[in-house]
C-alpha cells in the first residue's frame, strides 16, 4: 500500500502545493491531491488576478484528473461497502436482540425494522428527501450551498474546460496537453452519462494524438479503447467494434516495433509481455460488442414483426386468408368491349388519320 501524501492545506506556497498535488495524483491518493490542487489553484488565481492565466493550465488539468479519480474511487467504495455494512449490522442487531429479549424472533424483527428506519433516514438525508434534510437543505441554500453545490464531476468539467481554453490559446506548442485534456473531459462526460459530449471530446483529442504520435503509440491505443467504451455505453456497437479493433492494431504495432529493436532489453521484453496481457481483454470486448449487436438486431426484428402483425388492417387478413389455388382476386374483370365482337373489332382497327 502506498503512503498517503501529507498536504498542508494552510500553505501559501502555490508551487509547493502543485508539486504535492501531482505527486498525490500519481500515487492515487486522490483526496490529498484534490486538497492540494484546489488550494494551489485558489492561490494562483489570486496571484495573477485571472482565472485563465497560462500558468494555471497545469494545475487545472491535474485538479480535474484528481476529481475524476476521486469520484470513481468513491463510487467503487460505495458499491462495495453498502451491502457488506448492511449484512454486518443485521448480524449485530440479531445478536443484541437475542441477548436482551426472550422472544428472539420478535426482537430480531423489531431491530430489523429499526435498522431499516435508520437506513431510510440516512438515505433521505443524503438525497435531501427527509423532513430534516429538507429543512437543512433549505437553510443551506440560503447560504449558497446545499442543492446548488456542484459535484466533483461538475467541478472537474469546469476546471478542465478552463485548461482546454488556455491550451487552445497557446497553440501548437500545447497540442499534446490539449489532446490529453480533451480526452479527460470526455471521461468526465462519460462518468456523467453525457455520452454524445464524451464521444465528441474524445474524438477531438484522438485526432490530435494521431498527428503527434506514430502508428505504434500506446497513448493512441488507450484513447481508442476509451472511445470504444464510450461508444459501447451509447449502444453504438459498430463504432465501438471499430475503436476496439483500432486499439488492438496500435498495440500489435507496438509489439512489432519493440521486437525489431536489437538487442531486446529486459524493459522491452516486459513491455511486450504487458501488452500481450492486454490484448485478450480487448478481443473479448470486440466479441461482446458483436454479440450485443446481433442481440439488438434480433430484438429490433422481433419488434418490427410484432408491430406489423398488430397494425395489419382487417381487409388484409381476409385477402391473405384465401386458398393458395384461388387466384380469382388477381384476375382483372373483362371490359365490356370484349363481350361485343363488333366493338372489339372496331377497337382493334388502327387509326389512319
Amino acid at each position: 500500500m502506498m503512503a498517503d501524501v501529507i498536504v498542508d492545506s494552510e500553505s501559501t506556497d502555490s508551487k509547493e502545493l502543485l508539486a504535492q498535488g501531482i505527486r498525490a495524483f500519481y500515487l492515487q491518493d486522490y483526496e490529498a491531491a484534490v486538497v492540494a490542487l484546489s488550494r494551489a489553484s485558489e492561490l494562483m488565481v489570486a496571484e495573477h488576478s485571472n482565472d485563465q492565466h497560462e500558468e494555471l493550465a497545469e494545475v487545472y488539468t491535474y485538479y480535474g484528473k484528481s476529481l475524476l479519480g476521486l469520484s470513481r474511487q468513491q463510487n467503487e467504495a460505495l458499491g462495495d461497502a453498502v451491502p457488506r455494512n448492511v449484512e454486518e449490522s443485521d448480524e449485530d442487531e440479531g445478536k443484541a436482540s437475542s441477548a436482551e429479549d426472550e422472544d428472539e424472533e420478535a426482537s430480531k424483527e423489531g431491530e430489523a425494522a429499526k435498522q431499516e428506519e435508520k437506513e431510510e433516514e440516512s438515505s433521505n438525508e443524503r438525497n435531501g428527501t427527509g423532513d430534516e434534510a429538507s429543512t437543512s437543505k433549505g437553510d443551506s441554500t440560503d447560504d449558497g450551498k446545499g442543492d446548488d453545490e456542484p459535484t466533483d464531476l461538475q467541478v472537474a468539467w469546469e476546471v478542465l474546460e478552463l485548461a482546454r481554453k488556455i491550451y487552445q490559446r497557446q497553440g501548437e506548442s500545447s497540442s499534446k496537453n490539449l489532446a490529453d485534456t480533451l480526452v479527460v473531459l470526455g471521461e468526465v462526460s462519460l462518468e456523467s452519462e453525457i455520452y454524445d459530449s464524451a464521444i465528441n471530446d474524445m474524438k477531438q483529442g484522438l485526432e490530435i494524438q494521431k498527428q503527434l504520435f506514430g502508428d505504434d503509440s500506446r497513448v493512441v491505443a488507450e484513447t481508442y479503447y476509451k472511445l470504444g467504451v464510450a461508444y459501447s455505453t451509447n449502444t453504438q456497437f459498430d463504432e465501438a467494434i471499430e475503436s476496439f479493433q483500432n486499439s488492438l492494431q496500435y498495440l500489435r504495432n507496438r509489439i512489432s516495433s519493440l521486437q525489431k529493436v536489437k538487442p531486446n532489453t529486459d524493459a522491452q521484453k516486459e513491455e511486450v509481455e504487458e501488452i500481450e496481457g492486454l490484448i485478450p481483454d480487448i478481443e473479448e470486448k470486440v466479441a461482446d460488442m458483436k454479440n450485443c449487436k446481433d442481440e439488438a438486431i434480433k430484438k429490433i426484428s422481433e419488434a418490427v414483426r410484432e408491430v406489423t402483425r398488430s397494425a395489419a388492417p382487417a381487409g388484409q387478413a381476409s385477402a391473405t386468408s384465401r386458398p393458395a389455388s384461388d387466384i380469382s382476386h388477381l384476375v382483372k374483370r373483362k371490359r365490356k368491349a370484349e363481350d361485343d365482337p363488333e366493338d372489339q373489332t372496331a377497337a382493334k382497327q388502327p387509326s389512319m388519320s
Side-chain angles (χ1 to χ4, degrees):
M1 183 177 177
M2 296 180 181
D4 290 339
V5 178
I6 298 175
V7 175
D8 181 6
S9 59
E10 301 301 320
S11 173
T12 56
D13 188 340
S14 60
K15 291 183 179 179
E16 177 60 26
L17 286 164
L18 173 59
Q20 290 177 359
I22 293 174
R23 179 170 179 268
F25 169 76
Y26 283 111
L27 291 174
Q28 296 182 10
D29 186 355
Y30 299 122
E31 192 166 353
V34 166
V35 172
L37 295 166
S38 173
R39 177 65 174 160
S41 62
E42 181 184 345
L43 291 170
M44 286 186 181
V45 170
E47 289 167 10
H48 299 291
S49 301
N50 182 0
D51 65 357
Q52 293 191 38
H53 191 276
E54 61 179 16
E55 288 190 12
L56 279 155
E58 184 179 29
V59 68
Y60 284 153
T61 302
Y62 280 104
Y63 187 20
K65 288 181 177 180
S66 299
L67 285 164
L68 174 61
L70 181 61
S71 178
R72 286 172 170 169
Q73 203 172 65
Q74 288 175 339
N75 287 340
E76 288 172 5
L78 182 63
D80 291 341
V82 169
R84 183 168 57 252
N85 289 345
V86 170
E87 288 172 7
E88 288 172 0
S89 62
D90 286 345
E91 289 177 7
D92 292 340
E93 293 293 353
K95 290 177 183 177
S97 61
S98 62
E100 293 173 1
D101 201 314
E102 292 179 359
D103 190 350
E104 184 176 348
E105 290 187 4
S107 292
K108 282 183 179 179
E109 289 174 2
E111 292 296 332
K114 288 180 183 178
Q115 181 64 20
E116 286 178 7
E117 289 175 4
K118 288 177 183 177
E119 288 172 2
E120 187 176 353
E121 260 183 18
S122 175
S123 175
N124 287 341
E125 286 173 4
R126 286 195 300 271
N127 297 325
T129 56
D131 293 338
E132 293 181 4
S134 298
T135 305
S136 111
K137 286 283 182 184
D139 293 340
S140 58
T141 302
D142 295 338
D143 298 329
K145 298 179 183 177
D147 290 339
D148 295 332
E149 189 164 342
T151 65
D152 286 344
L153 289 175
Q154 288 172 331
V155 176
W157 190 88
E158 289 171 6
V159 295
L160 287 166
E161 266 293 300
L162 288 172
R164 179 187 64 78
K165 291 177 182 177
I166 296 170
Y167 288 135
Q168 283 182 326
R169 285 203 310 269
Q170 291 175 346
E172 193 174 339
S173 62
S174 295
S175 293
K176 181 177 178 295
N177 292 328
L178 174 60
D180 181 41
T181 302
L182 284 165
V183 173
V184 182
L185 269 169
E187 292 183 80
V188 171
S189 293
L190 183 59
E191 290 290 323
S192 304
E193 300 181 2
I194 309 172
Y195 304 126
D196 289 342
S197 178
I199 291 167
N200 184 56
D201 286 336
M202 286 185 187
K203 285 173 68 177
Q204 288 186 51
L206 178 63
E207 288 306 311
I208 298 172
Q209 289 175 342
K210 286 165 67 176
Q211 295 173 11
L212 295 174
F213 305 113
D215 62 1
D216 61 349
S217 168
R218 290 187 67 175
V219 172
V220 176
E222 183 179 0
T223 301
Y224 262 125
Y225 180 85
K226 291 174 180 177
L227 182 59
V229 171
Y231 276 131
S232 65
T233 310
N234 202 36
T235 64
Q236 293 178 251
F237 301 124
D238 285 331
E239 292 86 349
I241 290 168
E242 183 180 0
S243 294
F244 288 134
Q245 287 176 335
N246 286 333
S247 179
L248 284 170
Q249 187 58 55
Y250 270 80
L251 291 177
R252 287 172 179 141
N253 290 346
R254 179 61 179 168
I255 291 175
S256 179
S257 298
L258 290 168
Q259 290 175 336
K260 286 177 182 177
V261 178
K262 302 295 181 183
N264 277 343
T265 63
D266 289 341
Q268 289 169 328
K269 292 176 181 176
E270 286 177 8
E271 186 175 352
V272 168
E273 289 178 5
E274 181 186 352
I275 295 173
E276 287 176 340
L278 296 173
I279 287 176
D281 291 336
I282 304 176
E283 289 176 333
E284 187 176 349
K285 284 280 187 184
V286 173
D288 288 344
M289 288 302 99
K290 289 180 178 178
N291 290 335
C292 288
K293 178 185 174 182
D294 292 342
E295 188 64 25
I297 292 172
K298 182 181 176 182
K299 287 182 178 179
I300 291 171
S301 299
E302 290 174 353
V304 169
R305 285 196 297 270
E306 183 62 30
V307 169
T308 303
R309 283 196 297 268
S310 61
Q316 182 178 341
S318 60
T320 56
S321 63
R322 291 188 179 93
S325 59
D326 182 4
I327 60 170
S328 60
H329 63 292
L330 299 178
V331 179
K332 293 182 179 179
R333 294 180 179 275
K334 291 183 179 181
R335 291 178 299 173
K336 184 178 179 181
E338 293 177 346
D339 298 330
D340 189 337
E342 291 183 4
D343 291 345
Q344 187 174 1
T345 305
K348 291 182 180 179
Q349 292 296 325
S351 173
M352 301 300 293
S353 58

